[in-house]
Amino acid sequence: MPLTLAEMGIPQVIKKIGGKDETKRFLEKLGFAAGGEVTVVSEISGNMIVSVKEARIAISKAMASRILV
Amino acid sequence: MSIRIALAGNPNSGKTTLFNALTGSNQFVGNWPGVTVEKKEGKLKSDRSITITDLPGIYSLSPYTLEEVVARNYLLEERPDVILNIIDGTNLERNLFLTTQLAELGIPVVVAVNMMDVVLKNGDKIDTAKLGKRLGCKVFEISALKGTGIAEAVQGALDAAKTAGNFRPVHSFSAKVEQFLTAVSAKLPEHLPEEQRRFYSIKLFERDEKIMAALKVEEIEEIILAAEKEMDDDAESIITAERYHYIGDILKNCYWKKNRGGLTVSDKIDRVVTNRWLALPIFAAVMFLVYFVSVSTVGTYATDWANDGVFGDGWHLFGIGSAEMAEASEAFEAGTLTEEPDPADFGVWVPGIPVVVGGVLESINCAEWLQGLVVDGVIGGVGAVLGFVPQMLVLFFFLAFLEACGYMARIAFIMDRIFRKFGLSGKSFIPMLIGTGCGVPGIMASRTIENDRDRKMTIMTTTFIPCGAKLPIIALIAGALFGGAAWVAPSAYFVGIAAIIVSGVILKKTRLFAGDPAPFVMELPAYHMPTLSGVLRSMWERGSSFVKKAGTIILLSAIVIWFLSNFGFANGSFGMVEDLSDGLLADIGSAIAVLFAPLGWGNWQSAVAAVTGLVAKENVVATFGQLYGFAEVAEDGAEVWGTLAASFTPVAAYSFLVFNLLCAPCFAAIGAIKREMNSAKWTWFAIGYQTLFAYLISFCVYQIGSAVTGTASFGIGTALAAAAVLGILFMLFRPQKQLKKWKLETAAE
């Protein structure tokens, strides 16, 4: 399922990052790599703050929906 | 021998703090990713022959962001002797990602694990010796903030610099990927040095456009396609995944985390502060507090003291004597005292600068015109601006605090969704917020916006928001023409916000600002208690640059305006004039007044007032006062209401108000625009756009307003105004062409 549907505070394992563009590769470099863990910390109308590899990263809803967990 | 050390690392990993510690310089450090946009150079404090370059914070060596391009070009083209890679010990895995890339460059790398004090406090453990062995480079534990371990790390870097040319990346990826990389490597040109071949083979495999263009290696596309087919992913992602695998392997048995996966204190704060329901109320409360304290209470008190005391008549030291003076004043007004009391007779009276300087000049029999220039022109003009310094310092203090503790980054996150709708990012909100107090710090606050287009657009639109100095103009117009109607002031803010939104949308659709907007991804720093010295330093850095500006551009303009208004042709000869309407400024005003006639206020006084408003917006009211023959007017100019009401129609007055709210800001703000744009061309573009926009809107307000209210009949002006409105609407709603990517993104939302 996309990260947008993930429950807050529960660590999820990243299965795949959708798409084949720069955005995908940028997300991967920020630590959103398949097999890694990601936890939703907070969410405001789709935009979310997630915890990945010890960093807190704010991403828009569009980007969150491309992270499959 | 001079050695060049490059500091590289992730954003917010402490590079700039380390740079300051090593070079003894005072570069600004913020708890905000992207503080360093350009590289900075300094000399090592203990050995001046060693150059240290602070590169911008980067996540990788792919040229994805401006920072990455700057850092990568430096490393590839300048090839420093050694790279000191700062990594955040509390986020080891992600930070090592860059390390694996740096190690491929063939430049010796030394790793400094920063924030070791926090790592230890969290109960985590890093076996740096083992880590170093596996990475193939020396690893040091440091705390840049506390200054521990940095001498050792620098010594380690200097030792490593001697091995230049012999440094080989040690890591390897999975056998399958290595096979493809070897195939690519075989196609590399012969002349590439051995130690750099690894970097170039990986970059070619990733289809890095710049490297491909530089090397012009052929026949590798088949290798890449074969690899992509076999592993069902794009080449760059394959490499990224390999790196994380590799890092995972390295960290086994040399990194232990105490609380794996648990929420940190920072996360718990975010749970509340960026909560879907509480985020906006909390944000509003914080902003109200900041604004209230810096503008209404402490700030105003300090500003009044600066304006009326230091740059006015004088003040009672520590308030001694103020109470007695107040009593005496009451007694005088009640008629029990025959002579008006002088505040200097009570308590400890410190005379203001104009009084002191005026006294000195008078005692040495200085020429009258020179006295006027110094006291009214220079001290009056510069003082009016410097008077805002205390208020600004208070505001800067709070902003520095919000920035350092980590909340500022969250504001951008909270506001992003709203701002994105009209082409600005959430990060644009902060400059506009500060702009309600004063546009100068507002414009300066735009520096925290990393994206170049967003930053330029924010700089151009920030001063549309009515600043503190524009409030007297609003009060004047509201009082003189609208009977003090309560809707005038809020409408001014509404006009400002509408101008920002309209400009945002229009500009985003022009070629200058079109293109892929940076996707909203932003690393948020962990919350932490800022140090007082850090907050004060940041406050001082911003405040002092404003004071410097007041000393140059404002000083100069104050002198020019004073000369122009006080000198002119009167009674057939050139000289100092008694009546300002004989001054050169009045002549200039009359000449340009014709320009403003279509806006409804073509008299020379209004034109001059608008021009003096460029020095400082509060001058507009004072100028009206002088030009209509009142020596001194109250802040809202109550004395000239009658005269104004006679020479303006309400629609023309509103047009005048709109023009002064939106047109080019005061010189101080223009100076700030120049500084932040760092380009004369962009500065002119910004103030040109603002003035043109102001002119058009005022024109529409007056022409259409007059036609509607019946003070003028429909005519050419009305038709032109209607055309202008249609033009603006077209610019607002015309379809976007080059923004396919953006469309995709919004469609997904």
Side-chain angles (χ1 to χ4, degrees):
Chain A
M1 65 177 173
L3 190 60
T4 41
L5 300 176
E7 200 177 322
M8 243 189 263
I10 312 282
Q12 311 276 351
V13 175
I14 301 170
K15 291 212 181 80
K16 194 180 156 67
I17 314 280
K20 286 217 165 183
D21 58 357
E22 289 234 344
T23 307
K24 176 200 177 193
R25 294 193 277 271
F26 187 57
L27 280 176
E28 286 173 341
K29 270 154 207 150
L30 278 170
F32 293 90
E37 269 188 8
V38 58
T39 311
V40 178
V41 174
S42 173
E43 186 247 310
I44 301 177
S45 54
N47 284 3
M48 33 183 55
I49 297 178
V50 298
S51 158
V52 65
K53 299 211 190 290
E54 311 302 319
R56 311 288 163 275
I57 299 185
I59 51 174
S60 64
K61 190 180 180 182
M63 297 194 87
S65 60
R66 293 173 55 176
I67 300 168
L68 303 175
V69 291
Chain B
M1 191 183 99
S2 69
I3 291 178
R4 292 167 305 145
I5 303 178
L7 299 184
N10 279 190
N12 215 22
S13 62
K15 286 181 311 304
T16 306
T17 309
L18 180 65
F19 180 79
N20 286 347
L22 290 177
T23 60
S25 69
N26 256 341
Q27 297 293 350
F28 174 59
V29 186
N31 189 8
W32 174 289
V35 168
T36 314
V37 181
E38 329 144 352
K39 59 184 199 298
K40 295 190 192 92
E41 283 204 343
K43 301 280 182 197
L44 187 64
K45 230 187 329 187
S46 53
D47 183 349
R48 293 272 154 198
S49 70
I50 294 163
T51 308
I52 298 188
T53 308
D54 183 22
L55 296 175
I58 49 174
Y59 293 110
S60 77
L61 287 180
S62 318
Y64 184 80
T65 60
L66 183 69
E67 291 86 351
E68 284 169 353
V69 174
V70 170
R72 184 168 112 149
N73 286 351
Y74 177 79
L75 292 173
L76 284 181
E77 285 155 25
E78 309 281 327
R79 293 197 78 80
D81 299 297
V82 58
I83 299 170
L84 185 53
N85 175 207
I86 323 300
I87 64 180
D88 176 355
T90 61
N91 187 5
L92 210 53
E93 224 181 317
R94 222 274 312 284
N95 278 254
L96 282 173
F97 185 84
L98 177 66
T99 310
T100 64
Q101 291 194 310
L102 293 173
E104 284 158 6
L105 287 165
I107 300 168
V109 175
V110 169
V111 173
V113 183
N114 194 14
M115 307 186 202
M116 276 311 289
D117 45 335
V118 185
V119 173
L120 295 177
K121 213 173 89 192
N122 289 347
D124 302 339
K125 253 189 246 160
I126 304 171
D127 184 340
T128 46
K130 209 186 257 178
L131 181 64
K133 217 175 217 171
R134 290 182 184 175
L135 282 169
C137 51
K138 283 252 168 64
V139 178
F140 295 88
E141 299 180 10
I142 67 164
S143 167
L145 200 62
K146 301 196 170 141
T148 50
I150 59 174
E152 291 85 349
V154 169
Q155 194 50 51
L158 294 177
D159 293 342
K162 290 177 192 136
T163 67
N166 298 319
F167 188 83
R168 297 282 181 282
V170 294
H171 62 274
S172 55
F173 299 148
S174 67
K176 204 160 46 175
V177 176
E178 284 300 332
Q179 206 183 317
F180 290 111
L181 287 177
T182 313
V184 173
S185 180
K187 307 269 183 197
L188 285 177
E190 291 289 317
H191 66 83
L192 272 183
E194 180 63 30
E195 75 267 16
Q196 298 180 28
R197 297 184 84 88
R198 172 102 188 155
F199 174 79
Y200 284 105
S201 11
I202 293 179
K203 282 293 152 200
L204 283 179
F205 184 73
E206 290 179 331
R207 292 201 190 85
D208 186 298
E209 282 172 21
K210 288 189 182 155
I211 303 288
M212 287 205 316
L215 288 182
K216 297 193 181 64
V217 178
E218 280 157 30
E219 303 161 26
I220 50 164
E221 187 58 27
E222 298 144 39
I223 305 173
I224 304 173
L225 285 174
E228 287 183 332
K229 200 174 164 204
E230 196 175 327
M231 277 164 278
D232 187 32
D233 209 344
D234 61 287
E236 207 176 333
S237 299
I238 293 172
I239 297 290
T240 305
E242 284 294 326
R243 286 188 201 282
Y244 276 119
H245 270 294
Y246 167 64
I247 292 164
D249 284 346
I250 287 182
L251 288 181
K252 264 179 211 150
N253 301 323
C254 68
Y255 178 51
W256 298 270
K257 260 196 81 64
K258 202 173 163 200
N259 303 313
R260 227 187 151 87
L263 286 181
T264 63
V265 178
S266 188
D267 288 341
K268 283 174 194 151
I269 298 175
D270 265 336
R271 273 283 159 92
V272 179
V273 169
T274 63
N275 177 284
R276 145 185 358 192
W277 308 112
L278 293 176
L280 284 174
I282 290 178
F283 164 71
V286 169
M287 280 311 126
F288 175 76
L289 197 71
V290 168
Y291 193 72
F292 182 73
V293 172
S294 38
V295 177
S296 305
T297 58
V298 182
T300 306
Y301 182 75
T303 301
D304 285 348
W305 168 75
N307 277 334
D308 302 336
V310 180
F311 294 107
D313 295 333
W315 75 98
H316 286 110
L317 191 68
F318 306 121
I320 304 165
S322 295
E324 292 86 340
M325 170 65 199
E327 261 172 44
S329 295
E330 270 171 36
F332 171 69
E333 270 159 35
T336 45
L337 261 179
T338 45
E339 209 173 305
E340 188 171 1
D342 182 351
D345 296 338
F346 299 89
V348 188
W349 178 253
V350 183
I353 292 176
V355 180
V356 175
V357 175
V360 170
L361 291 176
E362 206 151 312
S363 66
I364 58 171
N365 282 326
C366 185
E368 199 183 317
W369 69 270
L370 193 59
Q371 280 187 39
L373 171 65
V374 172
V375 176
D376 298 336
V378 174
I379 299 177
V382 177
V385 180
L386 283 183
F388 282 100
V389 168
Q391 185 172 352
M392 282 169 55
L393 286 182
V394 176
L395 194 61
F396 288 154
F397 181 85
F398 282 110
L399 292 170
F401 181 86
L402 288 182
E403 197 172 323
C405 76
Y407 187 62
M408 200 71 108
R410 270 80 182 177
I411 296 181
F413 169 71
I414 294 167
M415 298 308 288
D416 187 76
R417 247 184 112 66
I418 302 167
F419 268 57
R420 198 144 283 255
K421 291 208 168 76
F422 45 89
L424 286 162
S425 102
K427 297 166 198 170
S428 311
F429 184 74
I430 293 136
M432 285 159 197
L433 193 90
I434 302 167
T436 56
C438 173
V440 175
I443 290 163
M444 291 202 287
S446 68
R447 199 176 306 171
T448 45
I449 302 169
E450 304 97 330
N451 182 285
D452 194 48
R453 280 188 298 259
D454 288 356
R455 192 176 57 245
K456 287 197 166 108
M457 218 153 85
T458 307
I459 294 172
M460 286 176 65
T461 51
T462 294
T463 54
F464 284 154
I465 281 283
C467 68
K470 287 174 187 166
L471 293 181
I473 311 178
I474 300 171
L476 173 75
I477 300 295
L481 273 303
F482 298 98
W487 60 268
V488 179
S491 81
Y493 284 93
F494 178 77
V495 165
I497 293 165
I500 290 171
I501 294 175
V502 168
S503 299
V505 177
I506 288 180
L507 290 173
K508 205 71 192 177
K509 289 184 183 179
T510 61
R511 208 180 306 148
L512 279 173
F513 292 96
D516 315 334
F520 185 66
V521 180
M522 186 177 164
E523 185 171 359
L524 303 176
Y527 288 103
H528 73 88
M529 197 60 200
T531 60
L532 183 64
S533 70
V535 171
L536 288 176
R537 181 190 285 177
S538 145
M539 174 186 98
W540 177 245
E541 152 130 354
R542 288 178 178 166
S544 63
S545 62
F546 175 77
V547 174
K548 267 183 229 149
K549 215 166 297 147
T552 51
I553 187 163
I554 299 174
L555 175 68
L556 200 68
S557 60
I559 293 174
V560 170
I561 295 282
W562 185 87
F563 265 110
L564 288 180
S565 49
N566 283 281
F567 279 80
F569 294 96
N571 307 323
S573 66
F574 184 78
M576 202 163 161
V577 291
E578 283 294 312
D579 189 348
L580 294 182
S581 63
D582 292 328
L584 285 175
L585 194 62
D587 299 335
I588 298 170
S590 313
I592 57 171
V594 63
L595 279 177
F596 298 117
L599 310 187
W601 37 282
N603 52 350
W604 73 267
Q605 289 94 336
S606 313
V608 168
V611 171
T612 54
L614 292 177
V615 177
K617 291 291 168 185
E618 59 269 44
N619 271 0
V620 171
V621 177
T623 306
F624 270 129
Q626 286 178 322
L627 299 184
Y628 285 129
F630 295 91
E632 204 170 301
V633 290
E635 198 166 70
D636 58 358
E639 292 86 344
V640 295
W641 286 5
T643 329
L644 266 190
S647 52
F648 277 96
T649 66
V651 176
Y654 200 76
S655 145
F656 177 79
L657 177 63
V658 167
F659 184 81
N660 277 288
L661 289 182
L662 302 182
C663 77
C666 64
F667 282 138
I670 293 175
I673 292 177
K674 170 96 176 28
R675 192 182 141 150
E676 296 307 318
M677 288 287 194
N678 203 12
S679 138
K681 195 188 87 186
W682 273 101
T683 309
W684 285 111
F685 179 71
I687 58 179
Y689 173 79
Q690 290 161 347
T691 309
L692 186 73
F693 186 76
Y695 193 90
L696 267 180
I697 299 296
S698 302
F699 180 70
C700 296
V701 165
Y702 177 68
Q703 295 295 346
I704 296 175
S706 303
V708 170
T709 54
T711 45
S713 54
F714 284 86
I716 299 172
T718 325
L720 283 176
V725 170
L726 285 177
I728 291 171
L729 287 176
F730 170 73
M731 295 289 277
L732 266 178
F733 294 110
R734 72 185 169 136
Q736 301 167 336
K737 281 173 197 162
Q738 300 111 324
L739 303 180
K740 273 187 193 164
K741 276 196 179 175
W742 195 13
K743 272 190 184 165
L744 277 178
E745 200 182 313
T746 40
E749 281 181 6

